[in-house]
C-alpha cells in the first residue's frame, strides 16, 4: 500500500498557481494500480482518497503512520464504490459482494478490510473515500436500487442527470461521510452549474465512464478567480470548501462525489450568481 500526503493551500496562494501546480495539489491522476491499494491523504478535512485494484488475490487495507492508529478504521469510516468488474470486500468476519456501481459503507472500528476481484481478467476497481469518525454505525451495502434517487436538469441546459445519494442520512447512517453518484445522460455535459460553494464541507470528485479521447474541464477556485483542470477517466479532484466545483465534458460521463465536514445536509450550499463568476 502507498499513501501520498497533500497539504492545504490557501485560496490567496491558489490564485497564482500554474496549471502544473494546480494539478499537483488538487488532481489525483492515478487511482487504480493493479495489485495495490493506492491512497492520497489530504489535510483538507483529513480526507483519504484512493483505489484498491485486486488481481490475483485479496489485498488488505493497512494502517499507516499518517493514520496514527494500529488499524486504518480505528478512528475512521470508509466509503467504497466499485467502478470495475465484480468484486468482494471482506470486513472482519463479513463478506460483501459488490457488482459494478455498488457501494459499501464500512463502520469505524472494523479491524480487517480486504478487497478481492471475482475475475482477475476483469478486476474490480474499488474507489475509496475515508473521513474521521466519532461513532460507530452499521456496515451497509448500498446498490443503486437502494440509493435515494433524484432526477434533475433539462436538455436545453445540457445537464439532464440522475443523482444517487448512497451514503446519506436517509439511506445509511454515518458519522460525517456523505457519498453518491451522478450519471449524466447522453447529450448532457454540465454538472453543478450554476455553481456553489459550501465552506462547512469539503468534497472530492472522481470522474469515470469516459472514453480515452474524452475529457472533463473541471472548474475550481474562488468564484471571482476561477481556474480549471483538464481531467481524464478515473481521475479525482480534491475540492476545498472555499472552491466552486463544476465541470463540463466533451461527452457525457459519471462521477462519484463525497463530502466530509461540519454537517451532512446535501442542500446546504452557498449559491454563486452567474454574474459573480470570473
Amino acid at each position: 500500500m502507498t499513501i501520498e500526503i497533500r497539504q492545504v493551500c490557501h485560496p490567496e496562494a491558489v490564485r497564482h498557481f500554474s496549471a502544473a501546480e494546480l494539478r499537483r495539489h488538487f488532481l489525483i491522476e492515478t487511482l487504480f494500480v493493479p495489485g495495490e491499494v493506492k491512497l492520497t491523504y489530504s489535510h483538507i478535512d483529513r480526507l483519504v482518497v484512493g483505489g484498491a485494484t485486486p488481481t490475483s488475490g485479496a489485498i488488505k487495507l493497512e494502517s499507516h503512520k499518517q493514520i496514527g492508529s494500529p488499524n486504518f478504521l480505528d478512528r475512521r469510516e470508509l466509503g467504497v464504490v466499485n467502478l470495475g468488474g465484480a468484486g468482494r470486500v471482506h470486513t472482519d468476519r463479513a463478506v460483501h459482494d459488490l457488482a459494478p456501481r455498488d457501494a459499501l459503507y464500512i463502520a469505524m472500528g472494523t479491524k480487517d478490510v480486504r478487497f478481492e476481484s471475482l475475475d482477475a481478467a476483469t478486476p474490480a476497481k474499488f474507489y475509496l473515500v475515508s473521513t474521521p469518525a466519532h461513532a460507530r454505525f452499521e456496515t451497509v451495502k448500498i446498490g443503486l436500487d437502494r440509493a435515494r434517487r433524484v432526477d434533475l436538469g433539462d436538455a436545453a441546459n445540457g445537464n439532464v442527470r440522475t443523482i444517487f445519494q448512497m451514503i446519506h442520512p436517509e439511506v445509511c447512517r454515518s458519522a460525517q461521510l456523505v457519498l453518491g453518484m451522478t450519471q449524466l445522460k447522453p447529450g448532457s455535459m454540465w454538472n453543478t452549474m450554476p455553481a456553489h460553494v459550501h465552506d462547512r464541507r469539503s468534497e472530492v470528485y472522481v470522474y469515470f465512464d469516459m472514453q480515452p479521447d474524452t475529457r472533463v474541464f473541471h472548474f475550481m477556485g474562488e468564484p471571482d478567480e476561477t481556474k480549471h483542470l483538464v481531467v481524464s477517466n478515473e481521475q479525482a479532484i480534491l475540492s476545498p470548501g472555499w472552491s466552486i466545483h463544476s465541470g463540463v465534458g466533451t461527452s457525457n460521463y459519471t462521477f462519484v462525489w463525497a463530502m466530509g465536514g461540519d454537517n451532512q445536509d446535501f442542500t446546504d450550499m452557498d449559491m454563486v450568481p452567474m454574474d459573480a463568476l470570473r
Side-chain angles (χ1 to χ4, degrees):
M1 189 180 90
T2 61
I3 187 164
E4 177 191 354
I5 311 301
R6 300 278 183 102
Q7 299 294 335
V8 174
C9 300
H10 195 283
E12 291 180 6
V14 175
R15 287 176 174 239
H16 306 287
F17 278 8
S18 66
E21 289 171 317
L22 282 174
R23 295 177 74 84
R24 178 160 55 88
H25 286 284
F26 297 104
L27 178 67
I28 303 172
E29 296 195 62
T30 304
L31 286 168
F32 302 110
V33 178
E36 293 185 15
V37 176
K38 189 175 188 303
L39 302 176
T40 296
Y41 184 109
S42 171
H43 281 281
I44 301 171
D45 279 317
R46 299 192 180 275
L47 290 165
V48 178
V49 184
T53 316
T55 50
S56 58
I59 53 178
K60 183 177 181 179
L61 180 65
E62 304 277 4
S63 192
H64 186 274
K65 179 181 179 181
Q66 194 69 28
I67 303 302
S69 58
N71 302 292
F72 190 94
L73 293 178
D74 284 347
R75 296 179 59 83
R76 285 185 162 270
E77 57 190 357
L78 178 66
V80 180
V81 184
N82 185 7
L83 306 186
R88 180 171 291 149
V89 182
H90 302 257
T91 59
D92 293 338
R93 294 185 178 86
V95 178
H96 315 270
D97 287 342
L98 266 61
R101 299 176 191 263
D102 281 351
L104 181 68
Y105 170 78
I106 305 179
M108 182 188 82
T110 304
K111 297 187 182 305
D112 186 32
V113 180
R114 297 175 187 268
F115 304 98
E116 183 181 359
S117 291
L118 299 188
D119 182 357
T122 55
K125 294 180 178 179
F126 296 109
Y127 174 62
L128 314 176
V129 182
S130 174
T131 55
H134 64 276
R136 178 180 172 88
F137 297 97
E138 182 183 358
T139 294
V140 179
K141 175 182 170 182
I142 311 108
L144 294 183
D145 58 343
R146 183 172 177 173
R148 183 175 184 267
R149 176 173 176 152
V150 182
D151 294 300
L152 295 172
D154 58 73
N157 287 302
N159 64 355
V160 181
R161 64 204 187 277
T162 300
I163 299 172
F164 296 95
Q165 297 172 341
M166 305 176 89
I167 301 175
H168 180 278
E170 295 185 30
V171 179
C172 164
R173 293 189 70 193
S174 65
Q176 67 163 307
L177 180 63
V178 180
L179 178 149
M181 182 183 300
T182 299
Q183 296 178 342
L184 277 76
K185 304 297 184 186
S188 289
M189 286 84 163
W190 277 101
N191 80 74
T192 326
M193 183 60 71
H196 65 260
V197 297
H198 35 64
D199 206 37
R200 280 75 61 197
R201 300 186 308 278
S202 299
E203 191 159 0
V204 58
Y205 275 30
V206 60
Y207 289 100
F208 67 105
D209 277 354
M210 296 168 61
Q211 298 302 311
D213 61 347
T214 62
R215 295 292 183 270
V216 170
F217 291 77
H218 179 92
F219 297 97
M220 62 163 294
E222 296 170 288
D224 63 346
E225 192 74 37
T226 59
K227 307 283 187 181
H228 76 273
L229 291 161
V230 181
V231 184
S232 303
N233 190 46
E234 296 176 352
Q235 293 185 336
I237 299 283
L238 298 167
S239 183
W242 49 261
S243 176
I244 67 166
H245 36 283
S246 175
V248 61
T250 57
S251 184
N252 63 307
Y253 51 88
T254 307
F255 63 98
V256 173
W257 45 267
M259 297 181 283
D262 283 327
N263 66 31
Q264 295 180 306
D265 183 358
F266 182 83
T267 63
D268 178 23
M269 307 174 188
D270 299 323
M271 301 305 298
V272 178
M274 294 295 281
D275 61 5
L277 292 172
R278 296 291 183 269

